[in-house]
Amino acid sequence: QVQLVESGGGLVQPGGSLNLSCAVSGVNFRYYTMNWYRQAPGKEREFVAEAMYGGATNYRISVKGRFTISRDNAKSMVYLQMNNLKPEDTAVYYCRLGSLEHWGQGTQVTVSS
């Protein structure tokens, strides 16, 4: 079955950086668009970044220029490099396989002084 395992979150100061990873198994990864979403307490899950199987990317405006999504099809991995982090980036981050409503446990990102 499909498995998604997010990792790499942690506590950082404003302006710091983190690199999140998502390991995908149980599916032919290379033919799916991959996405990162995040969810803060009391808020709905929101789109963060997208990487199509051909390499094209999209970002929500608030993270554009700070975050970079990438993928390694040979390893069935997707990454989210986050630079210049802000307190409003604090959330649990999830990866998504295509448009499937299937989520891993997520990884916590906390940005605070």
Side-chain angles (χ1 to χ4, degrees):
Q1 69 274 34
V2 175
Q3 292 185 345
L4 304 171
V5 181
E6 300 94 339
S7 62
L11 280 67
V12 298
Q13 294 183 341
S17 298
L18 285 172
N19 188 27
L20 307 184
S21 299
C22 174
V24 184
S25 62
V27 69
N28 194 350
F29 170 81
R30 67 174 63 251
Y31 298 119
Y32 283 88
T33 292
M34 293 299 302
N35 303 279
W36 283 97
Y37 281 72
R38 67 188 182 187
Q39 186 170 30
K43 296 184 177 180
E44 294 185 352
R45 206 189 315 259
E46 65 182 20
F47 168 81
V48 177
E50 174 186 71
M52 301 188 71
Y53 71 87
T57 60
N58 291 291
Y59 302 89
R60 72 179 298 111
I61 294 175
S62 63
V63 309
K64 193 172 185 179
R66 300 188 296 119
F67 292 9
T68 302
I69 187 171
S70 62
R71 62 193 295 163
D72 187 335
N73 288 338
K75 297 181 178 180
S76 295
M77 296 284 292
V78 60
Y79 308 95
L80 185 67
Q81 177 64 48
M82 304 185 294
N83 299 323
N84 192 24
L85 283 161
K86 303 176 180 180
E88 52 263 42
D89 295 319
T90 296
V92 177
Y93 283 69
Y94 302 88
C95 61
R96 183 186 189 183
L97 178 70
S99 61
L100 300 180
E101 292 298 327
H102 180 87
W103 309 92
Q105 63 182 356
T107 185
Q108 176 72 52
V109 172
T110 302
V111 185
S112 176
S113 298

